[in-house]
Amino acid sequence: MKRNLKLHQWLMKWHFISGIIILPFVLMLSVTGFIYLFKNTYESPQISDFRYVDVKNERLTFQEQWEIAGRNSDAKPHSIIISGKTDEATEFISGKFANVSHLFVNPYNGAITGKFFENDSPMGQIRKMHGSLFLGVWGGRIIEFVGSWLFVMLLTGIYIWWPVRKWSVFGFFIPRIKQGRRTFFRDIHAITGFWISILLLMILAGGLPWTEVFGNNFKRLQKVTNTGYPATWDGQGLKSLPTENSLSLDEMILIAKEHPLPGTVSLAFPKGKEGIYSLSNTYYKDLNAQKIIHFDQYSGKLLLQHSWSDVGVLMRGRMWFMAFHQGQLGTWNFLIIACTAFLLFIMSLSAIISYLLRKRKGKLEIPIVPSNFFPGKIIFLVIAILGLILPLFGLNILLIVLVSRLSMSKSLLKTI
């Protein structure tokens, strides 16, 4: 197969430009992502100090513990973690997403054994750096911009690297060590980038749903195509039938235990007189085993339950890739993500070193492309599709085209 040399040069130019723009950010993302993988390892000792208690003869009721938690929590607890272990403090959850906090109550004496605020922990700070550069919404947009260009850089890199004539051990599997430092680091960049490209695309697919623009558009697509959570997944539209007295938390937990679920099991409290109890579990090792079950707060009657098979295909795919992104699907997943993050760092650093070894002082060394080159309708169609899927990338392309047009107009005016 004969390579289109001009197209190769054109793609190389944009691969180079995207690298200059985003590689410093990619280095940061690889380091912070690698560190955040060890979140549970780092936080487990601290949480263990809060969680484990000495076993006594008599326990306080869950209702009493709930009241204690309400008096000692900054925000009203919305759920309780159900555990069958006698040597564990009772865990109450407040807040959502990044603002989740955990409060632990000793079930034997009512003492608060500890509070854990995810957002304020060291790993919470790493997550902020990884997801928003500590800059809030605008930082999140910068990360989305980087992710969009990384997607493009991977696709162009695969085309540029792909051998036209034949495969060779050196240069395609093993870096060449006898052709100078620049070639050595260039090979490390290219070989590493190619062999982890599929994994990186999967990781990007798991990270983009967290972003503002792409993430919100993806949610709209789920809603339009009815491929997200069922409307009643969170109990929307369900109501308890009020009677004189509601069940105590202890009575409700006994009912909940009649529906054993794997993983971390939580019971969400009713909101108001017509609110419902909702039992659910988080189990990344087998997402298909996840369920949510809704109960009347007065009678304990099962009102509705959903299994993972009731969730739409886009949401199931989204949640799988997001869990994969965080290495939560098991040891195999953790090791793959850790290795990929490490190799991404090596790939990015070697690209910078190779560029600095090639760069002449005062020059950017951007690959030259003939001014009259037209990449073809298929390439523009691909760019248009990527621009629709990744809106920040599309907006950036429009800005680049506008600047290029203005530059060409100025050049023409000078010649008149």
Side-chain angles (χ1 to χ4, degrees):
M1 184 181 75
K2 188 176 180 180
R3 187 189 294 276
N4 184 329
L5 182 59
K6 290 183 179 180
L7 177 61
H8 179 88
Q9 291 172 329
W10 188 81
L11 290 174
M12 185 66 198
K13 173 184 176 180
W14 287 107
H15 184 80
F16 174 86
I17 291 174
S18 60
I20 289 291
I21 295 170
I22 72 169
L23 277 183
F25 294 98
V26 174
L27 284 170
M28 179 277 297
L29 289 171
S30 62
V31 172
T32 54
F34 182 84
I35 294 172
Y36 194 70
L37 283 172
F38 295 88
K39 175 180 183 293
N40 291 337
T41 303
Y42 175 80
E43 292 177 348
S44 288
Q46 179 183 357
I47 294 177
S48 293
D49 291 339
F50 301 154
R51 175 167 285 139
Y52 294 105
V53 297
D54 294 329
V55 178
K56 305 293 183 181
N57 291 328
E58 294 186 8
R59 291 173 62 99
L60 298 173
T61 65
F62 285 109
Q63 188 73 29
E64 290 171 328
Q65 295 177 63
W66 184 9
E67 293 168 1
I68 292 170
R71 292 195 297 268
N72 290 274
S73 180
D74 295 331
K76 186 177 179 180
H78 57 68
S79 57
I80 182 175
I81 301 298
I82 297 178
S83 171
K85 297 181 179 179
T86 58
D87 62 344
E88 285 190 356
T90 305
E91 182 178 353
F92 293 89
I93 311 296
S94 303
K96 290 184 177 180
F97 307 117
N99 295 315
V100 168
S101 63
H102 307 255
L103 183 141
F104 298 86
V105 178
N106 188 316
Y108 299 101
N109 59 19
I112 304 300
T113 61
K115 297 180 182 180
F116 183 77
F117 301 91
E118 292 195 11
N119 211 23
D120 297 333
S121 69
M123 283 297 177
Q125 299 304 306
I126 293 292
R127 185 183 62 243
K128 285 182 183 178
M129 182 68 180
H130 186 79
S132 65
L133 305 172
F134 298 114
L135 297 175
V137 172
W138 283 103
R141 289 173 181 168
I142 292 172
I143 295 301
E144 182 174 357
F145 170 83
V146 170
S148 300
W149 271 103
L150 180 57
F151 190 89
V152 174
M153 193 164 68
L154 284 169
L155 295 180
T156 56
I158 291 171
Y159 178 90
I160 293 165
W161 181 88
W162 194 267
V164 176
R165 296 176 183 173
K166 62 179 183 178
W167 293 79
S168 173
V169 172
F170 292 99
F172 298 112
F173 297 94
I174 302 173
R176 291 166 288 184
I177 59 176
K178 295 183 179 180
Q179 297 186 25
R181 290 187 301 164
R182 177 189 159 195
T183 300
F184 173 74
F185 284 108
R186 177 262 176 197
D187 280 358
I188 290 179
H189 167 73
I191 293 170
T192 304
F194 177 78
W195 292 111
I196 66 172
S197 58
I198 299 300
L199 289 172
L200 284 175
L201 290 173
M202 292 173 67
I203 290 170
L204 278 173
L208 285 171
W210 272 296
T211 60
E212 181 187 8
V213 181
F214 177 90
N216 287 336
N217 287 342
F218 194 84
K219 290 175 184 176
R220 293 188 190 100
L221 178 62
Q222 288 178 170
K223 187 174 182 179
V224 169
T225 58
N226 195 30
T227 52
Y229 283 117
T232 52
W233 179 267
D234 61 357
Q236 183 178 346
L238 300 179
K239 295 181 179 180
S240 294
L241 184 62
T243 58
E244 187 175 348
N245 294 308
S246 61
L247 296 174
S248 70
L249 182 56
D250 297 77
E251 290 172 322
M252 188 62 240
I253 287 178
L254 285 176
I255 294 172
K257 287 183 176 180
E258 295 174 1
H259 303 267
L261 299 173
T264 302
V265 182
S266 64
L267 181 68
F269 305 136
K271 297 178 181 178
K273 292 182 178 181
E274 294 184 339
I276 58 174
Y277 279 106
S278 297
L279 179 71
S280 62
N281 66 319
T282 302
Y283 193 56
Y284 291 113
K285 290 184 179 180
D286 182 7
L287 295 178
N288 292 319
Q290 296 188 140
K291 289 185 177 181
I292 188 163
I293 310 172
H294 304 292
F295 301 92
D296 185 292
Q297 67 165 299
Y298 297 92
S299 65
K301 177 184 176 182
L302 194 156
L303 300 175
L304 182 68
Q305 64 176 326
H306 284 297
S307 65
W308 196 241
S309 60
D310 297 322
V311 179
V313 63
L314 286 185
M315 178 58 80
R316 278 185 282 155
R318 171 186 171 184
M319 296 305 293
W320 189 93
F321 277 104
M322 290 173 76
F324 179 82
H325 180 97
Q326 298 182 94
Q328 295 174 320
L329 299 177
T331 303
W332 65 271
N333 182 200
F334 175 88
L335 292 174
I336 285 175
I337 301 299
C339 290
T340 304
F342 174 75
L343 292 174
L344 178 61
F345 178 84
I346 297 299
M347 180 192 78
S348 304
L349 186 62
S350 61
I352 293 172
I353 294 173
S354 176
Y355 166 67
L356 292 176
L357 290 172
R358 178 174 70 90
K359 181 181 177 298
R360 291 172 293 177
K361 188 175 181 180
K363 301 285 185 178
L364 274 177
E365 303 289 354
I366 297 176
I368 299 173
V369 181
S371 59
N372 62 345
F373 172 68
F374 180 76
K377 294 180 180 179
I378 294 177
I379 296 297
F380 276 103
L381 178 62
V382 171
I383 292 172
I385 292 171
L386 286 175
L388 290 173
I389 296 173
L390 305 167
L392 290 189
F393 167 73
L395 178 61
N396 190 238
I397 290 296
L398 289 175
L399 290 174
I400 290 172
V401 171
L402 179 60
V403 171
S404 298
R405 292 288 184 185
L406 289 173
S407 299
M408 290 174 63
S409 299
K410 287 180 180 180
S411 297
L412 287 172
L413 287 172
K414 288 181 181 179
T415 60
I416 297 175

